[in-house]
Amino acid sequence: MNVVFSVLGQPPSKSNSYRIGKFGNKATLVKSKHLKSYEAGFHVQIPCKYRGLLLEGRLRIELYCAFNWAAPDLDNASKILLDCLQSGQVIKNDNLVYELHMYKYIAKEFKTLSKQDVGVIISIDKQETQEVNMYEQLLAKLT
């Protein structure tokens, strides 16, 4: 099953989205209001047919991210987006992602994109068998 949908809004950086708080006598990480707001907006935008899907197996995910500026790191965005896919119950667990492709776009560099178009297009599918064997093939070339 190929899952494709879009979510508007620029994902916050995971490294800047937590602060240290206290829970009783223990220190804990607390999500920022900005991150909580993004997660809520993400979950609302998941199409109904994909909510509760809980995809399993070796997953291949493509994330096409359109940002307002060039500064956001893709690796920080990936953590937030994968967490949202899991908490939104599209995928069962983000540790099932065996292949991840990310693409970064800056909205102002495209005549057809505006600040309202900032967001991510998500494509999820099962990983193909030949891609699973790629590691062994590359390892053999190195030896």
Side-chain angles (χ1 to χ4, degrees):
M1 172 180 212
N2 189 17
V3 172
V4 179
F5 65 98
S6 65
V7 174
L8 292 176
Q10 183 164 306
S13 166
K14 185 153 188 172
S15 62
N16 297 327
S17 295
Y18 289 90
R19 62 178 174 77
I20 296 175
K22 281 195 168 188
F23 187 73
N25 291 334
K26 296 185 178 185
T28 185
L29 289 177
V30 179
K31 290 180 183 180
S32 69
K33 289 180 184 178
H34 183 61
L35 176 56
K36 288 179 185 178
S37 174
Y38 180 80
E39 288 177 332
F42 186 103
H43 294 149
V44 168
Q45 294 180 69
I46 297 171
C48 291
K49 63 183 177 180
Y50 299 140
R51 293 181 191 168
L53 200 56
L54 294 171
L55 290 171
E56 294 185 77
R58 291 175 169 267
L59 300 177
R60 177 184 198 273
I61 297 183
E62 293 179 354
L63 301 171
Y64 299 85
C65 304
F67 295 106
N68 279 325
W69 62 91
D73 293 343
L74 285 177
D75 61 332
N76 284 321
S78 71
K79 295 169 189 170
I80 296 291
L81 295 168
L82 293 176
D83 286 349
C84 286
L85 288 170
Q86 180 175 320
S87 61
Q89 298 186 337
V90 177
I91 62 174
K92 186 168 185 177
N93 196 310
D94 61 6
N95 68 7
L96 297 172
V97 178
Y98 279 74
E99 188 175 346
L100 178 63
H101 298 270
M102 293 191 73
Y103 305 89
K104 182 176 179 176
Y105 303 94
I106 310 304
K108 67 181 179 182
E109 294 176 359
F110 296 90
K111 292 178 183 174
T112 57
L113 293 180
S114 68
K115 286 187 176 186
Q116 290 78 23
D117 297 317
V118 168
V120 61
I121 298 172
I122 300 162
S123 175
I124 308 170
D125 215 339
K126 297 284 183 167
Q127 188 183 47
E128 298 293 327
T129 307
Q130 68 262 17
E131 293 162 341
V132 173
N133 298 326
M134 185 59 70
Y135 184 83
E136 289 177 334
Q137 293 171 16
L138 290 172
L139 188 59
K141 287 182 181 181
L142 295 172
T143 56

